[in-house]
């Protein structure tokens, strides 16, 4: 962008030069438009003329074909008449044909020959037969001039004629020279022959005479001229009125008024004879069409010439099209000119923006540096404060001192949390957050998040629970840190604003859930409806009625179908989860619900004073949810509560390699619980389902009951009345069921408590919400399990309850114990330039049995890590003088690479192909970055330079365990 702005700025001409260039460009453009207009106009004219020519060709050819067809029909009828004469006049004896019969027949059939004005038959008479013929007919053979015919070889007098040409009777058709030639050609060829055009006697129209030879029977097809002359009996002639023929034909056709038609006899091409049409050149002669006519006479040629009566009109499109195009181009030119003018203005703005951009980039760099500096400078002393407080709490303190130290530790952690929220928001705005894709155990993360708020929930006496559908995969691939942060923010808000009732976290597959993520604010009841039984976790009304017991039962049925193999979710690569966090707190006012996800915004100014917080937790959660491909929304009712719902997209984990954050596995303990039967006394179905979820994770079968009488009937069986293994071993009772139970159940429980030597008596465990519940129930039951329920805590309590009869209670290993097993005897090098941080890190690691050595610079670390060395791991600070942690790590990796290369060379040169020293692949020291800088670029640089992990200051047991377990757990303890 900067280079573009510079190039644009350098391309800006001066004002005078811009004016001259503008007018020159406009003048050239207008001239170009005129040329374009002329070219397009000429093209349209040519196209119009071509279209007109094609139309003329079509019309002329159509008229020519129709004229040929009409002429051919008339010729065929005349031919039929010739055959009729041959048959009835010469083959009948006496003849069946006379003048009266011929005239009547031809008159009746004249409609079949509309183009013929009349027909006549002339008999062939030789000179030797003339006298006898004239005596028979009673008249003398005459010429066309009504004079007696002179002596000649043969004659062709008309003996039969149609009434329309009665004047032809006795006329010799061979008296004229042209007529004689036509008759002889027709007799010699056996085909019809046409005469030259001439004026007909009656109509004075141009016409032609068609002559047919009439033969006696028995003439072969290949007869010679002499044989045809000998077999000729006479000649049939018909007069065609060509002008009427063509006029009638053109009158029937559309568009006749637009064209001029001429019909010519072109037998003599040098002197064509006009048969129809004007003699002068009328019409538009540049466009004409000549179509040849075939009238069946092989000796004569005819043609039809068509042309437009006037020049074809120029269509408006020939003018409007180029004009419109020119207008468009002119508009485009103006737009380009305006754009160019605007571009010049934009160039000037770009110059100013470039300056502002440099300032913004400098500010962004300063902001990033500020974030790194603030992160490091604040977290570094806080690491010392929290570390020293942790060390102080490990010493012998009286109650007041311990309370002071714990209070300071809580305040320090709150300050660190506040710093983390502000930095997270800054990183989100800077686009510096990325989503990981690692395997993780979803249920373990939820249990760990619940443990963070267990003390607060017990102090307030509210139910805090989690429920995960069975069809949600055990291990998923995604970003566990971001998911944990979202859940922590939502539960933290719920715990902060809830004083009674419950907080319930539900996780289901989105495809099986009918809870949409789009929520709307709605009004409702204020608090608990005393007159109506509400099936929720605590009995208090919830904001979102879509989380009702009816929907919950539907989800449970989906879980059952998943167990029975009816779900195909495992066949999909991606898994979309829908997570809801429901509370019965103070809710969100309607006027504040539209700014819930706005950073640093709370419902009102009193919220921060009464409950604390900065108001950016929900904003961060929304950004994280969107980064994970999901959506977040909520439903809230003032004085009733809020329900936040979000979706998240994860991938199926093909390998069961999720890191269980509960620490060491519980396989030995879980095997003991497998198939165990437990009776649960609980009158609330939602709470029963949640308890069953945690017990089911341990392999325990649960039987439910809602009142004390049913529980007594199930447990008050005599010894031996039930089969071995069918008696429930544990009775779980919710605190509100125990307080409302009748006296006989309490007496029975006291009796069991006093007579615990009875083997059949089940262990009675109370599920309590607050510390007061524990105090009330300890005298009535064996053990009180404090909520929130987690699989690990339930397993520990159940194991303790079952082993009380043996007088021993075995504690499951917790994180500190497991860390001790990991670090005991390990040689750890800690590198930090801050002496306080060195003391804190060394003391923390020594607390778990590690042998710690310290170095205050990267150079000191290099000298200690010269191969071979004794260290199992190294915690390396990033920001140090002289040589920082990045460079020190690169130097260490270079030394390791050189050592491996030398080892391979020695192994290759060894006679046996191996070397007795440590294999090259084991010469890799785990190096963990230890810094107060939590910027993403710092983490990327750590991995780039060869570090194995990242531990931010201040670190605690959880963080330390996560870092150490990946690299140190597999190494044996020295001397063990």
């Amino acid at each position: 962008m900067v280079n573009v702005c510079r190039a644009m700025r350098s391309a800006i001409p001066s004002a005078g030069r811009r004016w001259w260039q503008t007018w020159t460009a406009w003048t050239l453009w207008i001239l170009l438009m005129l040329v374009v207009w002329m070219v397009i106009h000429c093209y349209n004219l040519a196209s119009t003329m071509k279209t007109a020519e094609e139309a003329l060709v079509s019309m002329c050819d159509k008229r020519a074909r129709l004229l040929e067809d009409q002429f051919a029909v008339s010729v065929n009828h005349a031919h039929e008449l010739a055959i009729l004469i041959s048959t009835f006049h010469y083959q009948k004896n006496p003849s069946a044909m006379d003048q009266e019969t011929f005239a009547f027949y031809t008159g009746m059939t004249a409609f079949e020959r509309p183009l013929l004005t009349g027909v006549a038959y002339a008999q062939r008479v030789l000179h030797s037969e003339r006298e006898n013929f004239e005596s028979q007919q009673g008249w003398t053979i005459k010429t066309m001039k009504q004079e007696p015919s002179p002596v000649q070889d043969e004659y062709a007098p008309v003996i039969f004629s149609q009434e329309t040409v009665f004047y032809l009777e006795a006329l010799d058709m061979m008296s004229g020279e042209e007529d004689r030639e036509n008759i002889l050609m027709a007799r010699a060829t056996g085909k019809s022959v046409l005469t030259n055009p001439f004026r007909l006697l009656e109509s004075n129209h141009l016409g032609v005479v068609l002559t047919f030879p009439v033969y006696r029977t028995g003439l072969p097809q290949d007869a010679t001229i002499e044989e045809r002359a000998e077999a000729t009996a006479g000649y049939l002639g018909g007069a065609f009125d060509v002008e009427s023929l063509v006029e009638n034909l053109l009158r029937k056709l559309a568009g006749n008024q637009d064209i001029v038609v001429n019909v010519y006899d072109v037998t003599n091409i040098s002197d064509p004879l006009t048969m129809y049409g004007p003699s002068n050149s009328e019409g538009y002669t540049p466009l004409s069409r000549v179509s040849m006519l075939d009238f069946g006479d092989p000796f004569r040629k005819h043609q039809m010439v068509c042309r437009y009566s006037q020049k074809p009109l120029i269509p408006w499109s020939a003018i409007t099209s180029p004009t419109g195009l020119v207008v468009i181009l002119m508009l485009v030119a103006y737009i380009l000119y305006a754009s160019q003018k605007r571009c010049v203005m934009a160039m000037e703005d770009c110059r100013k923006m470039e300056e502002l951009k440099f300032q913004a980039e400098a500010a962004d760099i300063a902001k990033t540096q500020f974030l790194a500096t603030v992160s490091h400078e604040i977290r570094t002393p806080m690491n010392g404060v929290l570390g020293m407080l942790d060390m102080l709490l490990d010493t012998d303190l009286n109650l007041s001192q311990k309370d002071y130290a714990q209070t300071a530790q809580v305040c320090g952690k709150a300050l660190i949390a506040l710093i983390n929220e502000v930095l997270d928001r800054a990183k989100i705005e800077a686009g510096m957050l990325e989503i990981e894709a690692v395997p993780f155990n979803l249920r373990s993360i939820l249990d760990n998040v619940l443990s963070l708020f267990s003390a607060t929930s017990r102090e307030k006496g509210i139910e805090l629970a989690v429920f995960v559908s069975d069809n949600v995969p055990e291990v998923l691939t995604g970003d566990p840190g971001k998911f944990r942060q979202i859940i922590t923010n939502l539960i933290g808000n719920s715990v902060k604003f809830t004083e009674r009732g419950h907080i319930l976290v539900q996780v289901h597959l989105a495809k099986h859930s009918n809870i949409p993520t789009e929520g709307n604010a709605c009004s409702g009841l204020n608090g608990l409806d005393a007159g109506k039984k509400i099936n929720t976790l605590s009995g208090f009304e919830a904001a979102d009625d879509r989380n009702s017991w009816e929907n919950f039962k539907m989800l449970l049925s989906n879980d059952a179908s998943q167990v029975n193999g009816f779900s195909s979710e495992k066949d999909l690569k991606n898994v979309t989860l829908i997570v809801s966090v429901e509370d019965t707190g103070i809710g969100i006012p309607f006027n504040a619900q539209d700014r819930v996800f706005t950073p640093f915004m709370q419902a009102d100014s009193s919220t921060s004073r009464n409950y604390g917080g900065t108001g950016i937790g929900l904003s961060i959660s929304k950004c994280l949810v969107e980064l994970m491909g999901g959506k977040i929304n909520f439903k809230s009712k003032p004085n009733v509560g809020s329900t936040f719902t979000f979706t998240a997209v994860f991938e199926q984990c093909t390998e069961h390699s999720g890191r269980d954050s509960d620490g060491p596995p519980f396989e030995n303990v879980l095997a003991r619980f497998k198939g165990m039967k437990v009776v649960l006394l609980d009158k609330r179905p939602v709470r029963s389902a949640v308890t069953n979820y945690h017990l089911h994770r341990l392999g325990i079968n649960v039987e439910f009951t809602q009142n004390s009488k049913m529980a007594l009937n199930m447990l008050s069986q005599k010894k031996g009345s039930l089969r071995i293994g069918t008696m429930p071993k544990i009775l779980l009772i919710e605190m509100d069921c125990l307080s409302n139970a009748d006296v006989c159940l309490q007496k029975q429980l006291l009796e069991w408590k006093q007579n615990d030597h009875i083997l059949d008596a089940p262990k009675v465990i109370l599920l309590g919400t607050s510390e007061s519940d524990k105090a009330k129930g300890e005298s009535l039951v064996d053990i009180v399990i404090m909520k929130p329920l987690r699989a690990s805590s339930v397993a520990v309590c159940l194991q303790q309850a079952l082993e009380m009869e043996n007088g021993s209670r075995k504690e499951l290993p917790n994180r500190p114990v497991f860390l001790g097993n990991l670090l005991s005897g390990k040689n750890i090098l800690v590198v930090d330039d801050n002496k306080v941080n060195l003391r804190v890190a060394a003391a923390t690691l020594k607390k778990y049995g590690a042998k710690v050595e310290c170095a205050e610079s990267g150079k000191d670390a290099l000298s200690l890590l010269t191969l071979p060395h004794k260290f199992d791991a190294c915690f390396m600070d990033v920001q140090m003088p002289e040589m920082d942690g990045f460079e020190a790590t690169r130097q260490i990796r270079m030394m390791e690479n050189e050592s491996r290369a030398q080892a391979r060379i020695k192994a290759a040169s060894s006679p046996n192909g191996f070397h007795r020293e440590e294999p090259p692949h084991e010469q890799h020291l785990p190096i963990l970055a230890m810094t107060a800088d939590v910027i993403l670029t710092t983490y990327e640089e750590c991995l780039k330079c060869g570090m194995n992990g990242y531990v931010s200051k201040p670190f605690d047991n959880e963080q330390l365990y996560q870092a150490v377990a990946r690299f140190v757990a597999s190494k044996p303890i020295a001397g063990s």
Side-chain angles (χ1 to χ4, degrees):
M1 183 63 183
V2 174
N3 294 333
V4 172
C5 288
R6 288 175 178 171
M8 293 172 65
R9 186 177 60 191
S10 61
I12 301 177
S14 61
R17 185 180 178 186
R18 288 202 304 270
W19 181 88
W20 172 251
Q21 290 178 349
T22 300
W23 282 104
T24 303
W26 274 112
T27 302
L28 294 176
W29 183 256
I30 292 174
L31 292 176
L32 178 62
M33 291 301 99
L34 291 176
V35 173
V36 170
W37 191 93
M38 291 300 299
V39 170
I40 298 176
H41 180 69
C42 294
Y43 175 79
N44 288 339
L45 286 180
S47 300
T48 301
M49 299 305 292
K50 183 178 181 181
T51 303
E53 182 180 4
E54 292 175 351
L56 180 64
V57 169
S58 176
M59 289 189 294
C60 191
D61 290 345
K62 181 178 180 181
R63 284 158 174 73
R65 300 292 82 77
L66 287 176
L67 183 60
E68 287 179 351
D69 294 341
Q70 292 289 336
F71 196 89
V73 169
S74 298
V75 170
N76 290 336
H77 283 289
H79 193 195
E80 292 174 357
L81 189 59
I83 296 173
L84 181 69
I85 294 172
S86 175
T87 303
F88 289 96
H89 182 61
Y90 292 106
Q91 297 183 18
K92 299 291 184 179
N93 192 11
S95 172
M97 182 71 68
D98 56 15
Q99 170 60 32
E100 183 179 358
T101 302
F102 185 86
F104 176 78
Y105 178 78
T106 54
M108 294 298 293
T109 59
F111 70 93
E112 296 180 348
R113 304 177 299 278
L115 305 182
L116 293 173
T117 58
V119 291
Y121 175 69
Q123 183 175 331
R124 182 190 181 200
V125 178
L126 298 176
H127 180 68
S128 59
E129 300 173 348
R130 176 175 179 175
E131 184 178 355
N132 185 29
F133 174 78
E134 289 179 341
S135 63
Q136 291 180 355
Q137 297 294 331
W139 40 258
T140 303
I141 299 175
K142 301 177 182 179
T143 64
M144 291 293 182
K145 297 179 180 180
Q146 297 294 329
E147 297 176 353
S149 178
V151 177
Q152 52 189 21
D153 295 339
E154 58 180 296
Y155 309 92
V158 177
I159 60 174
F160 303 139
S161 62
Q162 191 176 344
E163 290 184 356
T164 57
V165 290
F166 67 93
Y167 52 83
L168 294 178
E169 186 177 6
L171 294 181
D172 183 10
M173 302 305 297
M174 298 184 71
S175 60
E177 185 66 25
E178 183 180 356
D179 294 335
R180 182 182 182 86
E181 292 179 359
N182 289 340
I183 289 174
L184 293 178
M185 284 190 295
R187 182 177 70 184
T189 60
K191 296 181 180 181
S192 60
V193 177
L194 294 173
T195 63
N196 287 331
F198 63 94
R199 294 286 175 181
L200 299 178
L201 297 178
E202 291 293 324
S203 62
N204 199 34
H205 290 171
L206 285 175
V208 293
V209 174
L210 177 71
T211 304
F212 270 107
V214 179
Y215 298 106
R216 296 183 180 87
T217 58
L219 182 68
Q221 292 292 334
D222 55 348
T224 61
I225 296 177
E226 291 76 11
E227 291 175 342
R228 289 182 179 276
E230 185 67 23
T232 300
Y235 312 96
L236 181 68
F240 281 91
D241 188 343
V242 177
E243 286 191 20
S244 299
L245 168 65
V246 178
E247 193 69 36
N248 293 334
L249 177 65
L250 296 181
R251 191 181 301 115
K252 298 177 182 178
L253 297 176
N256 182 48
Q257 65 277 9
D258 297 333
I259 62 174
V260 177
V261 178
N262 281 84
V263 179
Y264 296 100
D265 185 335
V266 291
T267 304
N268 184 4
I269 191 64
S270 61
D271 185 20
L273 303 175
T274 303
M275 299 177 66
Y276 174 80
S279 57
N280 57 350
S281 300
E282 294 184 1
Y284 184 68
T285 56
L287 281 181
S288 62
R289 170 66 177 178
V290 177
S291 298
M292 299 304 297
L293 296 173
D294 183 8
F295 288 154
D297 186 349
F299 303 103
R300 307 197 74 83
K301 295 181 181 180
H302 303 84
Q303 68 181 17
M304 177 182 288
V305 178
C306 304
R307 58 187 177 274
Y308 284 106
S309 59
Q310 59 185 359
K311 182 178 180 180
L313 297 177
I314 300 175
W316 279 104
S317 60
I319 299 175
T320 58
S321 295
T323 303
L325 181 60
V326 168
V327 170
I328 292 174
L329 292 177
M330 291 297 290
L331 290 176
V332 171
Y334 180 77
I335 293 173
L336 293 176
Y337 168 72
S339 300
Q340 189 268 344
K341 187 176 180 180
R342 181 68 178 173
C343 185
V344 172
M345 298 173 62
M347 291 178 184
E348 182 64 22
D349 295 338
C350 186
R351 183 188 62 78
K352 298 178 181 179
M353 289 174 60
E354 182 181 351
E355 297 177 357
L356 295 176
K357 182 177 181 294
F358 285 132
Q359 298 175 6
E361 288 178 347
D364 186 63
I365 295 173
K367 179 181 177 181
T368 304
Q369 293 175 348
F370 173 76
L371 288 176
T373 303
V374 167
S375 173
H376 185 270
E377 295 303 325
I378 295 181
R379 294 169 68 93
T380 296
M382 285 305 301
N383 177 56
V385 172
L386 294 178
M388 288 302 176
L389 287 173
D390 190 53
M391 294 169 59
L392 180 61
L393 288 172
D394 289 337
T395 62
D396 295 331
L397 301 175
N398 58 37
L399 293 180
S400 297
Q401 293 171 336
K402 188 172 184 179
D403 180 61
Y404 297 156
Q406 289 177 341
T407 302
Q409 189 178 45
V410 170
C411 293
K413 290 183 178 178
L415 179 58
I416 287 294
L418 176 60
I419 295 172
N420 288 340
E421 286 185 349
V422 176
L423 292 177
D424 284 342
R425 183 65 201 180
K427 287 189 289 183
I428 290 173
E429 292 178 352
M432 300 169 65
L433 278 183
E434 294 183 358
I435 298 299
E436 288 185 317
V438 296
F440 69 96
N441 191 309
L442 176 76
R443 291 168 176 81
S444 297
I445 287 181
L446 293 173
D447 285 351
N448 291 337
V449 174
L450 256 62
S451 67
L452 300 177
F453 304 98
S454 59
T456 307
S457 65
R458 292 169 190 168
E459 180 182 349
K460 291 186 173 185
I462 58 178
E463 291 266 3
L464 178 59
V466 64
F467 178 85
V468 182
S469 295
D470 291 341
N471 48 29
V472 175
E474 188 74 18
V475 180
L476 298 170
T477 299
D479 194 325
K482 304 295 186 300
F483 182 78
R484 182 197 305 270
Q485 187 173 0
I486 297 170
I487 293 294
T488 302
N489 287 343
L490 295 179
I491 296 179
N493 275 350
S494 296
V495 171
K496 183 190 303 181
F497 297 108
T498 303
E499 300 297 334
R500 85 283 184 275
H502 67 269
I503 300 169
L504 176 60
V505 182
Q506 296 186 53
V507 183
H508 307 283
L509 290 180
K511 64 176 293 185
H512 292 162
S513 174
N514 60 349
I515 305 175
T517 57
E518 286 75 13
N520 298 316
C522 55
S523 60
L525 301 174
N526 294 330
L528 180 62
D529 185 359
K532 178 182 177 182
K533 183 180 179 181
I534 301 177
N535 284 329
T536 61
L537 183 67
S538 62
F540 283 80
E541 182 191 7
D544 195 349
D545 53 4
R546 293 171 296 184
N547 282 339
S548 63
W549 169 239
E550 288 71 20
N551 290 335
F552 202 84
K553 286 193 296 184
M554 187 182 300
L555 293 173
L556 292 177
S557 64
N558 286 334
D559 292 350
S561 66
Q562 167 71 10
V563 173
N564 293 330
F566 293 111
S567 175
S568 61
E569 185 71 26
K570 60 186 179 181
D571 299 331
L572 302 177
K573 180 179 179 181
N574 291 333
V575 177
T576 302
L577 301 183
I578 183 167
V579 185
S580 66
V581 179
E582 172 188 283
D583 67 62
T584 57
I586 63 174
I588 304 172
F590 296 120
N591 58 1
Q593 292 187 5
D594 57 348
R595 59 177 187 269
V596 164
F597 296 111
T598 304
F600 304 103
M601 294 296 292
Q602 294 185 330
D604 53 51
S605 58
S606 63
T607 302
S608 179
R609 295 195 302 269
N610 295 334
Y611 298 97
T614 60
I616 62 173
L618 290 178
S619 172
I620 292 174
S621 298
K622 182 177 186 295
C623 294
L624 295 179
V625 167
E626 292 173 350
L627 281 174
M628 298 172 70
K631 298 179 180 179
I632 185 171
N633 218 304
F634 70 96
K635 266 198 169 186
S636 183
K637 298 178 183 179
N639 300 320
V640 174
S642 304
T643 301
F644 283 81
T645 305
F646 71 91
T647 57
V649 181
F650 300 100
E651 293 184 2
Q652 290 272 20
C653 187
T654 55
E655 299 180 2
H656 195 79
S657 58
R659 294 172 293 179
D660 192 349
S661 58
D662 281 335
F666 286 89
E667 286 81 2
N668 296 332
V669 178
L670 296 179
R672 182 171 183 178
F673 296 140
K674 188 74 172 178
M676 180 184 295
K677 294 185 178 180
V678 171
V679 176
L680 174 62
L681 175 56
D682 192 352
K683 61 183 179 181
R684 293 180 186 154
V686 176
R687 188 169 59 186
S688 301
V690 172
T691 305
N692 179 59
Y693 156 71
H694 292 286
L695 296 176
H696 181 70
R697 291 174 63 188
L698 301 176
I700 297 175
N701 299 324
V702 183
E703 298 180 12
F704 301 96
T705 178
Q706 294 186 352
N707 56 68
S708 57
K709 291 183 179 180
M710 293 180 61
L712 285 175
N713 291 335
M714 296 175 65
L715 299 174
S716 62
Q717 303 293 335
K718 294 183 180 180
K719 183 178 180 180
S721 62
L722 297 175
R723 297 192 305 271
I724 298 175
T726 60
M727 171 65 76
K729 291 188 176 183
I730 294 176
L731 170 62
L732 293 176
I733 304 176
E734 286 288 344
M735 185 64 198
D736 55 358
C737 295
L738 180 64
S739 61
N740 296 328
D742 51 65
V743 179
C744 67
L745 178 58
Q746 295 185 12
K747 291 182 178 180
Q748 185 65 48
L749 293 177
L750 287 173
E751 182 180 348
W752 286 345
K753 181 69 174 178
Q754 297 169 1
N755 301 323
D756 57 352
H757 60 278
I758 301 176
L759 298 178
D760 294 70
K763 298 297 180 181
V764 180
I765 299 178
L766 181 66
L767 301 178
T769 303
S770 62
E771 294 296 336
S772 60
D773 294 340
K774 183 175 182 181
K776 293 177 183 178
E778 280 184 338
S779 60
L780 301 175
V781 298
D782 295 303
I783 285 182
V784 178
I785 298 180
M786 297 304 298
K787 297 182 180 179
L789 298 181
R790 294 180 295 126
S792 58
S793 62
V794 172
V796 170
C797 294
L798 293 182
Q799 185 183 23
Q800 290 176 354
L802 294 175
E803 292 179 352
M804 286 173 60
E805 57 194 35
N806 298 327
S808 62
R809 294 191 180 187
K810 296 182 180 180
E811 297 287 344
L812 290 176
N814 53 23
R815 286 216 178 202
V817 175
F818 191 61
L819 266 175
N821 293 335
L822 282 175
L823 297 176
S824 180
K826 295 296 189 297
N827 292 303
I828 307 295
L829 175 63
V830 179
V831 186
D832 199 325
D833 62 318
N834 189 296
K835 295 183 178 180
V836 176
N837 288 337
L838 275 179
R839 289 182 60 188
V840 172
T844 302
L845 295 172
K846 288 179 180 179
K847 183 169 63 175
Y848 300 112
K851 299 177 182 179
V852 181
E853 290 191 27
C854 299
E856 296 184 2
S857 67
K859 290 184 178 180
D860 294 341
L862 285 179
S863 61
L864 292 174
L865 292 175
T866 303
L867 295 175
H869 57 75
K870 62 180 179 179
F871 296 103
D872 299 303
C874 175
F875 287 80
M876 179 79 71
D877 186 25
V878 172
Q879 297 183 7
M880 293 183 295
E882 297 183 2
M883 180 183 291
D884 59 18
F886 300 137
E887 182 60 29
T889 302
R890 281 190 284 267
Q891 294 291 336
I892 293 171
R893 296 308 181 207
M894 289 177 59
M895 290 191 300
E896 291 176 348
N897 292 335
E898 292 175 359
S899 176
R900 281 194 290 270
Q902 293 176 2
R904 283 194 293 268
I905 294 174
K906 292 180 180 179
S909 61
S910 177
N912 297 327
F914 64 90
H915 197 266
R916 295 184 178 271
E917 293 184 3
E918 186 179 9
H921 67 273
E922 294 186 4
Q923 298 177 4
H924 183 82
L925 177 69
I927 301 177
L928 303 177
M930 185 178 61
T931 179
D933 185 359
V934 293
I935 302 301
L936 179 65
T937 53
T938 304
Y939 176 67
E940 294 174 348
E941 184 66 21
C942 291
L943 299 180
K944 185 177 180 181
C945 71
M947 293 184 178
N948 301 95
Y950 186 93
V951 178
S952 62
K953 300 175 186 177
F955 55 85
D956 53 14
N957 293 341
E958 172 74 20
Q959 202 176 20
L960 186 61
Y961 168 75
Q962 292 288 351
V964 172
R966 295 178 58 190
F967 305 106
V968 185
S970 62
K971 290 197 174 185
I973 299 175
S976 62

